[in-house]
Coordinates of all heavy atoms in Angstrom, one line a residue:
M534 N 0.8 -1.2 0.0 CA 0.0 0.0 0.0 C 0.9 1.2 0.0 O 1.8 1.4 0.9 CB -0.9 0.0 1.2 CG -2.0 0.9 1.1 SD -3.6 0.5 1.9 CE -3.8 -1.2 1.7
V535 N 0.7 2.1 -1.0 CA 1.5 3.3 -1.1 C 0.8 4.5 -0.3 O 1.5 5.2 0.4 CB 1.7 3.7 -2.6 CG1 2.4 5.0 -2.7 CG2 2.3 2.6 -3.3
A536 N -0.5 4.6 -0.4 CA -1.2 5.7 0.3 C -2.6 5.2 0.6 O -3.2 4.5 -0.2 CB -1.2 7.0 -0.5
L537 N -3.1 5.6 1.8 CA -4.5 5.4 2.1 C -5.3 6.6 1.9 O -4.9 7.7 1.9 CB -4.6 5.0 3.6 CG -3.9 3.8 4.1 CD1 -3.9 3.7 5.6 CD2 -4.6 2.6 3.5
P538 N -6.7 6.4 1.6 CA -7.5 7.6 1.5 C -7.4 8.4 2.7 O -7.4 7.9 3.9 CB -8.9 7.0 1.3 CG -8.7 5.6 0.9 CD -7.4 5.2 1.5
G539 N -7.4 9.7 2.5 CA -7.3 10.7 3.7 C -5.8 11.0 4.0 O -5.6 11.9 4.8
E540 N -4.8 10.3 3.6 CA -3.5 10.6 3.8 C -3.0 11.6 2.8 O -3.1 11.4 1.6 CB -2.6 9.4 3.7 CG -2.7 8.4 4.8 CD -1.7 7.2 4.7 OE1 -1.0 7.1 3.6 OE2 -1.6 6.4 5.6
G541 N -2.6 12.8 3.3 CA -2.2 13.8 2.4 C -3.4 14.2 1.5 O -4.5 14.5 1.9
S542 N -3.2 14.1 0.2 CA -4.3 14.4 -0.8 C -4.9 13.2 -1.4 O -5.7 13.3 -2.3 CB -3.7 15.3 -1.9 OG -2.7 14.6 -2.6
A543 N -4.6 12.0 -0.9 CA -5.1 10.8 -1.5 C -6.6 10.7 -1.2 O -7.1 10.8 -0.1 CB -4.4 9.6 -0.8
T544 N -7.3 10.4 -2.3 CA -8.8 10.2 -2.2 C -9.1 8.7 -2.6 O -10.3 8.3 -2.5 CB -9.6 11.1 -3.1 OG1 -9.1 10.9 -4.5 CG2 -9.4 12.6 -2.7
T545 N -8.1 8.0 -2.9 CA -8.2 6.6 -3.2 C -7.1 5.8 -2.6 O -6.1 6.4 -2.1 CB -8.2 6.3 -4.8 OG1 -6.9 6.8 -5.2 CG2 -9.3 7.0 -5.5
Y546 N -7.2 4.5 -2.6 CA -6.1 3.6 -2.2 C -5.1 3.7 -3.3 O -5.4 3.5 -4.5 CB -6.5 2.2 -1.9 CG -7.3 1.9 -0.7 CD1 -8.7 2.0 -0.7 CD2 -6.6 1.7 0.5 CE1 -9.4 1.8 0.5 CE2 -7.4 1.5 1.7 CZ -8.7 1.5 1.7 OH -9.4 1.3 2.8
H547 N -3.8 3.8 -3.0 CA -2.8 3.7 -4.0 C -2.0 2.5 -3.7 O -1.4 2.4 -2.6 CB -1.9 5.0 -4.0 CG -2.6 6.2 -4.4 ND1 -2.6 6.7 -5.7 CD2 -3.5 7.1 -3.8 CE1 -3.3 7.7 -5.9 NE2 -3.9 8.0 -4.7
L548 N -1.9 1.6 -4.6 CA -1.3 0.3 -4.3 C -0.2 0.0 -5.3 O -0.1 0.5 -6.4 CB -2.4 -0.8 -4.5 CG -3.7 -0.5 -3.7 CD1 -4.9 -1.3 -4.3 CD2 -3.5 -1.0 -2.3
R549 N 0.7 -0.9 -4.9 CA 1.8 -1.4 -5.7 C 2.1 -2.8 -5.2 O 2.0 -3.1 -4.0 CB 3.0 -0.5 -5.5 CG 4.2 -0.9 -6.4 CD 5.4 0.0 -6.3 NE 5.0 1.4 -6.5 CZ 5.4 2.4 -5.6 NH1 6.1 2.1 -4.5 NH2 5.0 3.6 -5.8
P550 N 2.4 -3.7 -6.2 CA 2.7 -5.1 -5.8 C 3.9 -5.2 -4.8 O 4.8 -4.3 -4.9 CB 3.0 -5.8 -7.1 CG 2.5 -4.9 -8.2 CD 2.5 -3.6 -7.6
P551 N 3.9 -6.2 -3.9 CA 5.1 -6.3 -3.1 C 6.3 -6.5 -3.9 O 6.4 -7.1 -4.9 CB 4.8 -7.6 -2.3 CG 3.3 -7.8 -2.4 CD 2.9 -7.2 -3.7
G552 N 7.4 -5.8 -3.5 CA 8.6 -5.8 -4.2 C 8.7 -4.8 -5.4 O 9.7 -4.8 -6.1
G553 N 7.7 -4.0 -5.6 CA 7.7 -3.0 -6.6 C 6.8 -3.4 -7.8 O 6.2 -4.5 -7.8
G554 N 6.8 -2.5 -8.8 CA 5.9 -2.8 -9.9 C 5.0 -1.6 -10.2 O 5.2 -0.5 -9.6
T555 N 4.1 -1.7 -11.1 CA 3.2 -0.7 -11.5 C 2.2 -0.4 -10.4 O 1.6 -1.2 -9.9 CB 2.5 -1.0 -12.8 OG1 3.5 -1.4 -13.8 CG2 1.7 0.1 -13.3
Q556 N 2.1 0.9 -10.1 CA 1.1 1.4 -9.1 C -0.3 1.5 -9.7 O -0.4 1.8 -10.9 CB 1.6 2.8 -8.6 CG 0.7 3.3 -7.5 CD 1.3 4.6 -6.9 OE1 2.5 4.7 -6.7 NE2 0.4 5.6 -6.7
W557 N -1.3 1.2 -8.9 CA -2.7 1.4 -9.4 C -3.5 1.9 -8.2 O -3.1 2.0 -7.1 CB -3.3 0.1 -10.0 CG -3.7 -0.9 -8.9 CD1 -4.9 -1.1 -8.5 CD2 -2.9 -1.9 -8.4 NE1 -4.9 -2.2 -7.6 CE2 -3.7 -2.7 -7.5 CE3 -1.5 -2.3 -8.4 CZ2 -3.2 -3.8 -6.7 CZ3 -1.1 -3.3 -7.7 CH2 -1.9 -4.0 -6.8
S558 N -4.7 2.3 -8.5 CA -5.6 2.9 -7.5 C -6.9 2.1 -7.4 O -7.3 1.5 -8.3 CB -6.0 4.4 -7.9 OG -4.9 5.2 -8.0
A559 N -7.5 2.2 -6.2 CA -8.8 1.5 -5.9 C -9.7 2.5 -5.2 O -9.2 3.4 -4.5 CB -8.6 0.3 -5.1
P560 N -11.0 2.5 -5.4 CA -11.9 3.4 -4.7 C -11.7 3.4 -3.2 O -11.4 2.4 -2.6 CB -13.3 2.9 -5.1 CG -13.1 2.0 -6.3 CD -11.7 1.5 -6.2
A561 N -12.0 4.6 -2.6 CA -11.8 4.8 -1.2 C -12.8 3.9 -0.4 O -12.5 3.6 0.8 CB -11.9 6.2 -0.8
D562 N -13.9 3.5 -1.0 CA -14.8 2.7 -0.2 C -14.4 1.2 0.0 O -15.0 0.5 0.6 CB -16.2 2.8 -0.8 CG -16.3 2.2 -2.2 OD1 -15.3 1.6 -2.7 OD2 -17.4 2.2 -2.8
G563 N -13.3 0.9 -0.7 CA -12.7 -0.4 -0.6 C -13.5 -1.5 -1.3 O -13.2 -2.7 -1.1
T564 N -14.4 -1.2 -2.2 CA -15.3 -2.2 -2.8 C -14.5 -3.1 -3.7 O -14.9 -4.3 -3.9 CB -16.4 -1.6 -3.7 OG1 -15.8 -0.6 -4.6 CG2 -17.4 -0.8 -2.8
T565 N -13.3 -2.7 -4.2 CA -12.6 -3.6 -5.1 C -11.4 -4.2 -4.3 O -10.6 -4.9 -4.9 CB -12.0 -2.8 -6.3 OG1 -11.2 -1.8 -5.9 CG2 -13.2 -2.3 -7.2
L566 N -11.3 -3.9 -3.1 CA -10.2 -4.5 -2.3 C -10.6 -5.8 -1.6 O -11.2 -5.8 -0.5 CB -9.7 -3.5 -1.2 CG -9.1 -2.2 -1.7 CD1 -8.8 -1.3 -0.5 CD2 -7.9 -2.5 -2.5
R567 N -10.4 -6.9 -2.3 CA -10.8 -8.2 -1.8 C -9.5 -8.9 -1.4 O -8.5 -8.8 -2.2 CB -11.6 -8.9 -2.8 CG -13.0 -8.3 -3.0 CD -13.9 -9.2 -3.8 NE -15.2 -8.5 -4.0 CZ -15.5 -7.8 -5.0 NH1 -14.7 -7.6 -6.0 NH2 -16.7 -7.2 -5.1
P568 N -9.6 -9.8 -0.4 CA -8.4 -10.6 -0.2 C -8.0 -11.4 -1.4 O -8.8 -12.0 -2.0 CB -8.8 -11.5 1.0 CG -10.0 -10.8 1.6 CD -10.7 -10.0 0.5
V569 N -6.7 -11.5 -1.6 CA -6.2 -12.3 -2.7 C -6.0 -13.7 -2.1 O -5.3 -13.8 -1.1 CB -4.9 -11.8 -3.2 CG1 -4.3 -12.7 -4.3 CG2 -5.1 -10.4 -3.8
P570 N -6.6 -14.7 -2.7 CA -6.4 -16.1 -2.1 C -4.9 -16.5 -2.2 O -4.2 -16.3 -3.2 CB -7.3 -17.0 -2.9 CG -7.6 -16.2 -4.1 CD -7.4 -14.8 -3.8
V571 N -4.5 -17.2 -1.1 CA -3.1 -17.7 -1.1 C -3.1 -19.0 -1.9 O -4.1 -19.8 -1.9 CB -2.7 -18.0 0.3 CG1 -1.3 -18.6 0.4 CG2 -2.8 -16.8 1.2
K572 N -2.1 -19.2 -2.7 CA -2.0 -20.4 -3.6 C -1.6 -21.6 -2.8 O -0.7 -21.6 -2.0 CB -1.1 -20.2 -4.7 CG -1.6 -19.1 -5.7 CD -0.7 -19.0 -6.9 CE -1.2 -18.0 -7.9 NZ -0.4 -17.9 -9.1
A573 N -2.3 -22.7 -3.1 CA -1.9 -24.0 -2.5 C -0.7 -24.5 -3.3 O -0.6 -24.4 -4.5 CB -3.0 -25.0 -2.6
T574 N 0.3 -25.0 -2.6 CA 1.5 -25.6 -3.2 C 1.5 -27.1 -3.3 O 2.0 -27.6 -4.3 CB 2.8 -25.1 -2.4 OG1 2.7 -25.7 -1.1 CG2 3.0 -23.7 -2.4
H575 N 0.9 -27.7 -2.3 CA 0.7 -29.2 -2.4 C -0.2 -29.7 -1.3 O -0.6 -28.9 -0.4 CB 2.1 -29.9 -2.3 CG 2.8 -29.6 -1.0 ND1 3.4 -28.4 -0.7 CD2 3.0 -30.4 0.1 CE1 4.0 -28.5 0.6 NE2 3.7 -29.7 1.1
A576 N -0.5 -30.9 -1.3 CA -1.3 -31.6 -0.2 C -0.6 -32.8 0.3 O 0.1 -33.5 -0.5 CB -2.7 -31.9 -0.7
T577 N -0.6 -33.1 1.5 CA 0.0 -34.3 2.1 C -1.1 -35.1 2.8 O -2.2 -34.5 3.2 CB 1.1 -34.0 3.1 OG1 0.6 -33.1 4.1 CG2 2.3 -33.3 2.3
L578 N -0.9 -36.4 3.0 CA -1.8 -37.2 3.8 C -1.8 -36.8 5.2 O -0.7 -36.6 5.8 CB -1.5 -38.7 3.6 CG -1.6 -39.3 2.2 CD1 -1.1 -40.7 2.2 CD2 -3.0 -39.2 1.7
L579 N -3.0 -36.8 5.8 CA -3.1 -36.5 7.3 C -2.6 -37.7 8.1 O -3.2 -38.8 7.9 CB -4.5 -36.1 7.7 CG -4.8 -34.6 7.7 CD1 -6.3 -34.3 8.0 CD2 -3.9 -33.8 8.6
A580 N -1.7 -37.5 9.0 CA -1.2 -38.6 9.8 C -2.3 -39.0 10.8 O -3.1 -38.2 11.3 CB 0.0 -38.1 10.6
G581 N -2.4 -40.3 11.0 CA -3.4 -40.9 11.9 C -4.8 -40.9 11.5 O -5.7 -41.3 12.2
R582 N -5.1 -40.6 10.2 CA -6.4 -40.6 9.7 C -6.4 -41.5 8.5 O -5.5 -41.5 7.7 CB -6.9 -39.2 9.3 CG -6.8 -38.2 10.4 CD -8.1 -37.7 11.0 NE -9.3 -37.7 10.2 CZ -9.7 -36.6 9.6 NH1 -9.1 -35.4 9.6 NH2 -10.9 -36.6 8.9
D583 N -7.4 -42.4 8.3 CA -7.4 -43.3 7.2 C -8.5 -42.9 6.2 O -9.4 -42.2 6.5 CB -7.8 -44.7 7.8 CG -7.3 -45.9 6.9 OD1 -6.6 -45.6 5.9 OD2 -7.7 -47.0 7.2
A584 N -8.3 -43.4 5.0 CA -9.2 -43.2 3.9 C -10.5 -44.0 4.2 O -10.4 -45.1 4.9 CB -8.6 -43.7 2.6
V585 N -11.6 -43.5 3.7 CA -12.9 -44.2 3.9 C -13.6 -44.3 2.6 O -13.6 -43.4 1.8 CB -13.8 -43.4 4.9 CG1 -15.1 -44.0 5.1 CG2 -13.1 -43.3 6.2
Y586 N -14.2 -45.5 2.3 CA -15.0 -45.7 1.1 C -16.5 -45.7 1.5 O -16.9 -46.4 2.5 CB -14.7 -47.0 0.4 CG -15.4 -47.2 -0.9 CD1 -15.1 -46.4 -2.0 CD2 -16.5 -48.0 -1.0 CE1 -15.8 -46.5 -3.2 CE2 -17.3 -48.1 -2.1 CZ -16.9 -47.4 -3.2 OH -17.6 -47.5 -4.4
D587 N -17.3 -44.9 0.8 CA -18.7 -44.9 1.0 C -19.4 -45.6 -0.1 O -19.5 -45.1 -1.2 CB -19.2 -43.4 1.1 CG -20.7 -43.2 1.3 OD1 -21.4 -44.2 1.2 OD2 -21.1 -42.1 1.6
P588 N -19.9 -46.8 0.1 CA -20.5 -47.6 -1.0 C -21.8 -47.0 -1.5 O -22.1 -47.1 -2.7 CB -20.7 -49.0 -0.4 CG -20.6 -48.8 1.1 CD -19.8 -47.6 1.4
R589 N -22.5 -46.3 -0.7 CA -23.8 -45.7 -1.2 C -23.5 -44.5 -2.1 O -24.1 -44.4 -3.2 CB -24.6 -45.2 0.0 CG -25.2 -46.3 0.8 CD -26.2 -45.8 1.9 NE -25.7 -44.7 2.6 CZ -26.5 -43.7 3.0 NH1 -27.8 -43.8 2.9 NH2 -26.0 -42.7 3.6
A590 N -22.4 -43.8 -1.9 CA -22.1 -42.6 -2.7 C -21.1 -43.1 -3.8 O -20.9 -42.3 -4.8 CB -21.4 -41.5 -1.9
R591 N -20.6 -44.3 -3.7 CA -19.6 -44.9 -4.6 C -18.4 -43.9 -4.8 O -18.0 -43.6 -5.9 CB -20.3 -45.1 -6.0 CG -21.3 -46.2 -5.9 CD -21.8 -46.6 -7.3 NE -22.8 -47.6 -7.1 CZ -23.6 -47.9 -8.1 NH1 -23.5 -47.3 -9.3 NH2 -24.5 -48.9 -7.9
Q592 N -17.9 -43.5 -3.6 CA -16.7 -42.6 -3.6 C -15.9 -42.8 -2.4 O -16.4 -43.3 -1.4 CB -17.1 -41.1 -3.8 CG -18.0 -40.6 -2.6 CD -18.5 -39.2 -2.9 OE1 -18.6 -38.8 -4.0 NE2 -18.8 -38.5 -1.8
G593 N -14.7 -42.5 -2.5 CA -13.8 -42.6 -1.3 C -13.4 -41.2 -0.9 O -13.4 -40.2 -1.6
S594 N -12.9 -41.1 0.4 CA -12.4 -39.8 0.9 C -11.1 -40.1 1.6 O -10.9 -41.0 2.3 CB -13.4 -39.2 1.8 OG -13.6 -39.9 3.0
V595 N -10.1 -39.2 1.3 CA -8.8 -39.3 1.8 C -8.5 -38.0 2.6 O -8.5 -37.0 2.0 CB -7.8 -39.5 0.7 CG1 -6.3 -39.7 1.3 CG2 -8.1 -40.7 -0.2
P596 N -8.3 -38.1 3.9 CA -7.9 -36.9 4.6 C -6.6 -36.4 4.2 O -5.6 -37.1 4.1 CB -7.9 -37.4 6.1 CG -8.6 -38.7 6.1 CD -8.4 -39.3 4.8
V597 N -6.5 -35.1 3.9 CA -5.3 -34.4 3.5 C -5.1 -33.1 4.2 O -6.0 -32.6 4.8 CB -5.3 -34.2 2.0 CG1 -5.3 -35.5 1.2 CG2 -6.4 -33.3 1.5
E598 N -3.8 -32.7 4.2 CA -3.5 -31.3 4.7 C -3.0 -30.5 3.5 O -2.0 -30.9 2.8 CB -2.4 -31.4 5.8 CG -2.1 -30.1 6.4 CD -1.1 -30.2 7.5 OE1 -0.1 -31.0 7.4 OE2 -1.4 -29.6 8.6
F599 N -3.6 -29.4 3.2 CA -3.2 -28.5 2.1 C -2.2 -27.5 2.7 O -2.3 -27.0 3.8 CB -4.4 -27.7 1.6 CG -5.4 -28.6 0.9 CD1 -6.6 -29.0 1.6 CD2 -5.2 -29.1 -0.4 CE1 -7.5 -29.8 1.0 CE2 -6.2 -29.9 -1.0 CZ -7.3 -30.3 -0.3
H600 N -1.1 -27.3 1.9 CA 0.0 -26.4 2.3 C -0.1 -25.3 1.3 O -0.2 -25.5 0.1 CB 1.3 -27.1 2.2 CG 1.4 -28.3 3.1 ND1 2.1 -28.3 4.3 CD2 0.9 -29.6 3.0 CE1 1.9 -29.5 4.9 NE2 1.2 -30.3 4.1
F601 N 0.0 -24.0 1.8 CA -0.1 -22.8 1.0 C 1.3 -22.1 1.0 O 2.1 -22.3 1.9 CB -1.1 -21.9 1.6 CG -2.5 -22.5 1.6 CD1 -3.0 -23.2 2.7 CD2 -3.3 -22.5 0.4 CE1 -4.2 -23.9 2.6 CE2 -4.5 -23.1 0.4 CZ -5.0 -23.8 1.5
D602 N 1.5 -21.3 0.0 CA 2.8 -20.7 -0.2 C 3.1 -19.6 0.8 O 4.2 -19.2 0.9 CB 2.9 -20.1 -1.6 CG 1.9 -19.0 -2.0 OD1 1.2 -18.6 -1.1 OD2 2.0 -18.5 -3.1
D603 N 2.2 -19.3 1.7 CA 2.5 -18.4 2.8 C 2.9 -19.2 4.1 O 3.1 -18.6 5.1 CB 1.3 -17.4 3.1 CG 0.1 -18.2 3.7 OD1 0.1 -19.4 3.7 OD2 -0.9 -17.5 4.1
G604 N 3.0 -20.5 3.9 CA 3.4 -21.3 5.1 C 2.2 -21.9 5.9 O 2.4 -22.7 6.8
S605 N 1.0 -21.4 5.6 CA -0.2 -21.9 6.4 C -0.6 -23.3 5.8 O -0.3 -23.7 4.7 CB -1.3 -20.9 6.3 OG -1.8 -20.7 5.0
T606 N -1.4 -23.9 6.6 CA -2.0 -25.2 6.2 C -3.5 -25.3 6.6 O -4.0 -24.5 7.4 CB -1.3 -26.4 7.0 OG1 -1.5 -26.2 8.4 CG2 0.2 -26.5 6.6
L607 N -4.2 -26.2 5.9 CA -5.6 -26.4 6.1 C -5.9 -27.8 6.0 O -5.6 -28.4 4.9 CB -6.4 -25.5 5.2 CG -7.9 -25.6 5.3 CD1 -8.4 -25.0 6.6 CD2 -8.5 -24.8 4.1
N608 N -6.6 -28.4 6.9 CA -7.1 -29.8 6.8 C -8.3 -29.9 5.8 O -9.1 -29.0 5.8 CB -7.5 -30.4 8.1 CG -6.3 -30.6 9.0 OD1 -5.1 -30.4 8.6 ND2 -6.5 -30.9 10.3
G609 N -8.3 -30.9 5.0 CA -9.4 -31.1 4.1 C -9.5 -32.5 3.7 O -8.9 -33.4 4.4
V610 N -10.4 -32.8 2.7 CA -10.6 -34.2 2.3 C -10.6 -34.2 0.8 O -11.1 -33.4 0.1 CB -12.0 -34.7 2.8 CG1 -12.2 -36.1 2.4 CG2 -12.1 -34.6 4.3
L611 N -9.9 -35.2 0.3 CA -9.9 -35.4 -1.2 C -10.9 -36.5 -1.4 O -10.9 -37.6 -0.9 CB -8.5 -36.0 -1.6 CG -8.3 -36.3 -3.1 CD1 -8.5 -35.1 -4.0 CD2 -7.0 -37.0 -3.3
I612 N -12.0 -36.1 -2.2 CA -13.1 -36.9 -2.6 C -12.8 -37.5 -3.9 O -12.5 -36.8 -4.9 CB -14.4 -36.2 -2.6 CG1 -14.7 -35.5 -1.2 CG2 -15.6 -37.1 -2.9 CD1 -14.9 -36.4 -0.1
L613 N -12.9 -38.8 -4.1 CA -12.6 -39.5 -5.3 C -13.7 -40.4 -5.7 O -14.2 -41.2 -4.9 CB -11.3 -40.3 -5.2 CG -10.1 -39.6 -4.8 CD1 -9.0 -40.5 -4.3 CD2 -9.6 -38.8 -6.0
T614 N -14.2 -40.3 -7.0 CA -15.2 -41.3 -7.5 C -14.5 -42.6 -7.7 O -13.3 -42.8 -7.6 CB -15.7 -40.8 -8.9 OG1 -14.6 -40.8 -9.8 CG2 -16.3 -39.4 -8.8
S615 N -15.3 -43.6 -8.0 CA -14.7 -45.0 -8.3 C -13.7 -45.0 -9.4 O -12.6 -45.5 -9.3 CB -15.9 -46.0 -8.6 OG -16.7 -46.1 -7.5
A616 N -14.0 -44.3 -10.5 CA -13.1 -44.1 -11.6 C -11.8 -43.4 -11.2 O -10.7 -43.8 -11.6 CB -13.7 -43.4 -12.8
E617 N -11.9 -42.4 -10.4 CA -10.7 -41.7 -9.9 C -9.9 -42.5 -9.0 O -8.7 -42.5 -9.0 CB -11.1 -40.4 -9.2 CG -11.7 -39.3 -10.2 CD -12.4 -38.2 -9.5 OE1 -12.9 -38.3 -8.4 OE2 -12.4 -37.1 -10.1
L618 N -10.6 -43.3 -8.1 CA -9.9 -44.2 -7.2 C -9.1 -45.2 -8.0 O -7.9 -45.5 -7.7 CB -10.8 -45.0 -6.3 CG -11.4 -44.2 -5.2 CD1 -12.6 -44.9 -4.5 CD2 -10.4 -43.9 -4.1
E619 N -9.7 -45.8 -9.1 CA -8.9 -46.7 -10.0 C -7.7 -46.0 -10.6 O -6.6 -46.6 -10.7 CB -9.9 -47.3 -11.0 CG -10.9 -48.2 -10.4 CD -11.9 -48.7 -11.4 OE1 -11.8 -48.4 -12.6 OE2 -12.9 -49.4 -11.0
R620 N -7.9 -44.8 -11.1 CA -6.8 -44.1 -11.8 C -5.7 -43.8 -10.7 O -4.5 -44.0 -11.0 CB -7.3 -42.8 -12.4 CG -6.4 -42.2 -13.3 CD -7.0 -41.1 -14.1 NE -6.8 -39.9 -13.3 CZ -7.7 -38.9 -13.3 NH1 -8.8 -38.9 -14.0 NH2 -7.4 -37.8 -12.6
L621 N -6.1 -43.4 -9.5 CA -5.1 -43.1 -8.5 C -4.3 -44.4 -8.1 O -3.1 -44.4 -7.9 CB -5.8 -42.5 -7.3 CG -4.8 -42.1 -6.1 CD1 -3.8 -41.1 -6.6 CD2 -5.6 -41.5 -5.0
Y622 N -5.1 -45.5 -8.0 CA -4.4 -46.8 -7.7 C -3.4 -47.1 -8.8 O -2.3 -47.5 -8.4 CB -5.5 -47.9 -7.6 CG -4.9 -49.3 -7.3 CD1 -4.5 -49.6 -6.1 CD2 -4.8 -50.2 -8.4 CE1 -3.9 -50.9 -5.8 CE2 -4.3 -51.4 -8.1 CZ -3.8 -51.8 -6.9 OH -3.3 -53.0 -6.6
A623 N -3.7 -47.0 -10.0 CA -2.8 -47.3 -11.1 C -1.6 -46.4 -11.0 O -0.4 -46.9 -11.2 CB -3.5 -47.2 -12.5
Q624 N -1.8 -45.1 -10.8 CA -0.7 -44.2 -10.7 C 0.2 -44.4 -9.5 O 1.4 -44.5 -9.6 CB -1.2 -42.7 -10.7 CG -1.9 -42.3 -12.0 CD -2.5 -41.0 -11.9 OE1 -2.6 -40.3 -10.8 NE2 -3.0 -40.5 -13.0
T625 N -0.4 -44.7 -8.3 CA 0.5 -44.9 -7.2 C 1.2 -46.3 -7.3 O 2.3 -46.5 -6.8 CB -0.4 -44.9 -5.9 OG1 -1.5 -45.7 -5.9 CG2 -0.8 -43.4 -5.6
S626 N 0.6 -47.2 -7.9 CA 1.2 -48.6 -8.2 C 2.5 -48.4 -9.0 O 3.5 -49.0 -8.7 CB 0.3 -49.5 -8.8 OG -0.8 -49.9 -8.0
R627 N 2.4 -47.5 -10.1 CA 3.5 -47.2 -10.9 C 4.6 -46.5 -10.1 O 5.8 -46.8 -10.2 CB 3.1 -46.4 -12.1 CG 2.4 -47.2 -13.2 CD 2.4 -46.5 -14.5 NE 1.7 -45.2 -14.5 CZ 0.4 -45.1 -14.6 NH1 -0.4 -46.1 -14.8 NH2 -0.2 -43.8 -14.5
L628 N 4.2 -45.6 -9.2 CA 5.2 -44.9 -8.4 C 5.9 -45.9 -7.4 O 7.1 -45.8 -7.2 CB 4.5 -43.8 -7.5 CG 4.0 -42.6 -8.3 CD1 3.2 -41.7 -7.4 CD2 5.2 -41.8 -8.9
L629 N 5.1 -46.8 -6.8 CA 5.7 -47.8 -5.9 C 6.7 -48.7 -6.7 O 7.7 -49.1 -6.2 CB 4.6 -48.6 -5.2 CG 3.9 -47.8 -4.1 CD1 2.7 -48.6 -3.6 CD2 4.8 -47.5 -2.9
D630 N 6.3 -49.1 -7.9 CA 7.2 -49.9 -8.7 C 8.5 -49.2 -9.0 O 9.6 -49.8 -8.9 CB 6.5 -50.4 -10.0 CG 5.4 -51.4 -9.8 OD1 5.4 -52.0 -8.7 OD2 4.6 -51.5 -10.7
A631 N 8.4 -47.9 -9.4 CA 9.6 -47.1 -9.6 C 10.4 -47.0 -8.4 O 11.7 -47.0 -8.4 CB 9.2 -45.7 -10.2
H632 N 9.8 -46.8 -7.2 CA 10.5 -46.7 -6.0 C 11.3 -48.0 -5.7 O 12.5 -48.0 -5.3 CB 9.5 -46.4 -4.9 CG 10.1 -46.4 -3.5 ND1 11.0 -45.5 -3.1 CD2 10.0 -47.3 -2.4 CE1 11.4 -45.8 -1.8 NE2 10.7 -46.8 -1.4
E633 N 10.6 -49.2 -5.9 CA 11.3 -50.5 -5.7 C 12.5 -50.6 -6.6 O 13.5 -51.1 -6.2 CB 10.3 -51.6 -5.9 CG 9.3 -51.7 -4.7 CD 9.9 -52.1 -3.4 OE1 10.9 -53.0 -3.5 OE2 9.5 -51.6 -2.4
R634 N 12.3 -50.3 -7.9 CA 13.4 -50.4 -8.8 C 14.6 -49.5 -8.4 O 15.7 -49.9 -8.5 CB 12.9 -50.0 -10.2 CG 12.1 -51.1 -10.9 CD 11.9 -50.9 -12.4 NE 11.3 -49.6 -12.7 CZ 9.9 -49.4 -12.7 NH1 9.1 -50.4 -12.4 NH2 9.4 -48.2 -12.9
A635 N 14.3 -48.3 -7.9 CA 15.3 -47.3 -7.5 C 16.1 -47.9 -6.3 O 17.3 -47.6 -6.2 CB 14.7 -46.0 -7.2
L636 N 15.4 -48.7 -5.5 CA 16.1 -49.2 -4.3 C 16.8 -50.6 -4.6 O 17.3 -51.2 -3.8 CB 15.0 -49.5 -3.2 CG 14.4 -48.2 -2.6 CD1 13.4 -48.6 -1.5 CD2 15.5 -47.4 -1.9
G637 N 16.6 -51.0 -5.9 CA 17.3 -52.2 -6.3 C 16.4 -53.5 -6.0 O 16.9 -54.6 -6.0
G638 N 15.1 -53.2 -5.9 CA 14.2 -54.4 -5.7 C 14.0 -55.2 -6.9 O 14.5 -54.9 -8.0
T639 N 13.1 -56.1 -6.9 CA 12.9 -57.0 -8.0 C 11.7 -56.6 -8.8 O 11.3 -57.3 -9.8 CB 12.7 -58.5 -7.5 OG1 11.7 -58.5 -6.6 CG2 14.0 -59.0 -6.9
S640 N 11.0 -55.6 -8.4 CA 9.7 -55.2 -9.1 C 10.0 -54.6 -10.5 O 11.0 -53.9 -10.7 CB 8.9 -54.2 -8.3 OG 8.4 -54.8 -7.1

């Protein structure tokens, strides 16, 4: 923030991206000043919580922790349809095979 409304002769917010860049203005009532969402960088499995399959909904849920680029985290759930579960199984199986080969296993 370069200047707030009411500071000196400012009648609007005067803004500039962190680290510099082109300055812009926003109305003094703040109607266009909305929080910018923090970007998620990755998700990890939540320790101590297990995946659950719901046969009625035909979907599974995997507890995860989302990590954001500001260092914050948020617990959530990855919901997967039956087709997505099969695709994830195939992908993780390939990853485990590659891991075994890297360790010198027989897979």
Side-chain angles (χ1 to χ4, degrees):
M534 193 146 325
V535 178
L537 295 171
E540 288 183 351
S542 62
T544 58
T545 61
Y546 286 93
H547 293 264
L548 306 158
R549 185 177 307 128
T555 305
Q556 184 174 317
W557 77 95
S558 297
D562 65 3
T564 55
T565 60
L566 296 175
R567 293 194 178 92
V569 176
V571 179
K572 291 186 180 183
T574 58
H575 63 286
T577 55
L578 297 176
L579 265 176
R582 305 250 329 262
D583 203 6
V585 175
Y586 184 74
D587 182 347
R589 291 186 319 146
R591 295 185 181 168
Q592 64 187 22
S594 63
V595 181
V597 294
E598 182 175 45
F599 295 100
H600 299 259
F601 298 94
D602 62 4
D603 68 353
S605 64
T606 60
L607 179 65
N608 290 353
V610 179
L611 177 62
I612 304 294
L613 300 161
T614 64
S615 295
E617 291 168 332
L618 285 167
E619 290 174 8
R620 195 171 88 214
L621 182 61
Y622 177 77
Q624 292 173 355
T625 54
S626 292
R627 284 194 301 274
L628 289 173
L629 287 169
D630 289 344
H632 174 69
E633 286 294 320
R634 284 192 302 277
L636 293 177
T639 57
S640 294

